[in-house]
Amino acid sequence: MNRLEHVVRTVDRAQQRRPAAAVVVGVVKKYGDDRGGLLAALITYYGFVALIPLLLLLSTVLGFVLHGRPGTQHAVLNSALADFPIIGDQLRQNIHSVQGSGLALAVALLGLLYGALGIAQVLQHAMAEVWNVPEIRRPGYLPRLARSLLLFAVLGTGLLLSTAAATVVSTTLAGPAAGIGGLLLSAVVNTGMCLACFRILTPGEIAARPLLPGCLLAGPLFTVLQAFGAVLVTHQLRHSSQIYGFFATVIGLLSWLYLAAQVTVYAAETNVVLARHLWPRSLLQPPLTPSDQAVLGAIARQQKRRPEQHVQVTFDDQDTSAPVGHQRFRRQRFRRRRCG
């Protein structure tokens, strides 16, 4: 055993003995096992595809609604939309000059439908992957479409609640208390929205109670992203936007969307790890811990696509008393047999 391996194994033994550290390591390793980065990238892509027509739709609708109505303009500036990175800045700068167009409205609706359905489908796929639901037990297209429409209804309701909450706080409080109260109320609303969305996106065979811990984590994080995202993006692009213009803005928005997607996937992974007690995990193998075997077995079994297909996962024994260079590594063996 070389010096580096000795240090890693010492750290590994230490984290396995501490539940808090073991849970964190378990979530991070589960994120990697499920290719969480790729899932977050897919969510980001479809989120961006849906966002562009959404911006066009917002500007068109606001052009019809806000024309000659200063009171309504003020309400929009105090809504949750004003806290969204880049969108909020555009609203504040152009709130008095937006104009509506019938053609733009039609194009925006079609583009939004395509992008929104795409992100809803990808989010459902991500939840099924995180919970390692076998392909054969995942819902078909029509049930997924119904879940997507329900998701849009929940998001729309959440936006209205966020706007109403911001209005109530701004009218009842003043100064720093209004800011703090708005953040706390927004965190509560975001947590409730997250729980409702996770319930819709997660396959029905998963109960609702295991979805709560990740939502308690994601709700406040989404509030932080919403509250400080615009500030961070503006700070990062203050100089580069003068050089790169639109491209710097797009990169900043993609970065913000990717952070939100990562928060979503990590929250889902936290739910799985806590519900299935998937810790402690080993940092260096061999040996594999029981949690390592459980995760690897679930990943193998989720590939089942036909009733005639059977997937059995076994692990070879390992002689841990031998030197590391002579140990027999555990190997995952897949036995598939087709019948009928």
Side-chain angles (χ1 to χ4, degrees), residues 77-282:
L77 289 178
N78 291 328
S79 69
L81 291 176
D83 293 328
F84 200 92
I86 297 176
I87 296 177
D89 294 335
Q90 295 299 317
L91 284 176
R92 282 185 286 268
Q93 295 172 9
N94 305 302
I95 191 70
H96 301 291
S97 60
V98 291
Q99 297 179 356
S101 168
L103 178 60
L105 180 62
V107 173
L109 285 174
L110 291 176
L112 180 61
L113 181 63
Y114 170 79
L117 288 178
I119 192 174
Q121 297 286 330
V122 169
L123 283 170
Q124 292 182 66
H125 170 75
M127 293 301 171
E129 288 286 307
V130 165
W131 284 95
N132 305 120
V133 178
E135 296 277 352
I136 192 175
R137 297 211 304 265
R138 299 185 185 184
Y141 176 75
L142 291 180
R144 293 200 310 270
L145 180 60
R147 287 171 179 261
S148 300
L149 297 176
L150 183 58
L151 176 67
F152 301 152
V154 170
L155 291 176
T157 304
L159 181 60
L160 293 177
L161 290 176
S162 298
T163 303
T167 303
V168 170
V169 171
S170 63
T171 55
T172 56
L173 299 176
I180 297 175
L183 288 177
L184 293 176
L185 193 56
S186 178
V188 173
V189 173
N190 286 339
T191 301
M193 278 185 59
C194 185
L195 181 59
C197 291
F198 271 40
R199 177 63 282 173
I200 295 171
L201 297 170
T202 306
E205 64 182 67
I206 308 299
R209 186 173 181 178
L211 305 179
L212 182 59
C215 296
L216 293 176
L217 173 67
L221 289 178
F222 281 136
T223 303
V224 172
L225 282 176
Q226 180 180 349
F228 301 105
V231 177
L232 293 175
V233 171
T234 303
H235 174 74
Q236 293 297 325
L237 300 179
R238 184 175 63 249
H239 302 293
S240 61
S241 60
Q242 300 174 2
I243 302 174
Y244 301 110
F246 175 76
F247 296 102
T249 302
V250 170
I251 292 173
L253 184 56
L254 283 173
S255 301
W256 190 89
L257 289 173
Y258 187 67
L259 283 176
Q262 283 189 308
V263 168
T264 302
V265 178
Y266 268 114
E269 297 286 12
T270 301
N271 290 333
V272 180
V273 170
L274 293 178
R276 297 178 177 173
H277 204 285
L278 297 178
W279 81 85
R281 300 286 302 276
S282 59

